[in-house]
Amino acid sequence: MNELADRFFAAVGDGDETTLTALYAPDARIWHNDDGREQTVTENLRVLHWLSRTLEDLRYEDIRRHELPNGFAQQHVLRATLPGHGPLEVPACLFVRVDDGRITRIDEYVDSAATSPLRAQAGRRRER
């Protein structure tokens, strides 16, 4: 399970959509507490692609991972530089369900105050 988790977070940081697509089950769903919505794999890949292109020096630190019977839970702090804003620190916790070696569901809890600069940047992007 640790190998899958390591591959997943490395692929997110690298913007590696090929690896992410292989790690996700086709019908996987990704839920976020800050908007209460579920994303499809396609929608999530679009967001992760934007993050990897927007953030500089994206990395996961202060990682605490716990294997679960059907996946894993991970707490971490996403750190990066957001151009035009500066350093970004987003505490997060993910509960990841894995079936047959592929991610079928992620429930992600983030500090919504910490993600407000990202939401503002995304809003400016949509306005163009």
Side-chain angles (χ1 to χ4, degrees):
M1 201 61 65
N2 276 328
E3 180 185 338
L4 183 144
D6 288 342
R7 287 180 60 215
F8 175 78
F9 287 104
V12 171
D14 294 340
D16 182 351
E17 293 180 49
T18 301
T19 298
L20 289 168
T21 300
L23 291 174
Y24 277 132
D27 59 347
R29 293 294 179 262
I30 300 88
W31 175 87
H32 302 95
N33 73 301
D34 59 342
D35 63 9
R37 293 184 49 240
E38 282 188 354
Q39 293 178 327
T40 64
V41 171
T42 301
E43 292 167 329
N44 186 250
L45 289 175
R46 195 174 15 244
V47 170
L48 294 176
H49 177 75
W50 178 80
L51 280 176
S52 72
R53 290 183 53 216
T54 301
L55 296 175
E56 298 172 355
D57 192 28
L58 181 132
R59 61 206 183 278
Y60 296 94
E61 296 181 337
D62 305 329
I63 296 169
R64 289 163 290 182
R65 187 180 298 154
H66 308 280
E67 194 164 330
L68 303 172
N70 60 351
F72 65 93
Q74 178 168 308
Q75 294 172 269
H76 60 251
V77 178
L78 180 147
R79 290 190 173 96
T81 300
L82 178 60
H85 171 75
L88 187 72
E89 290 193 1
V90 181
C93 182
L94 282 74
F95 292 90
V96 181
R97 181 177 179 90
V98 177
D99 292 312
D100 296 323
R102 296 181 85 183
I103 296 169
T104 58
R105 181 169 184 88
I106 297 176
D107 290 291
E108 181 177 33
Y109 297 84
V110 298
D111 177 347
S112 58
T115 61
S116 63
L118 284 171
R119 288 192 307 276
Q121 180 88 354
R124 285 192 293 277
R125 184 176 147 254
R126 282 192 295 271
E127 290 172 2
R128 290 184 210 159

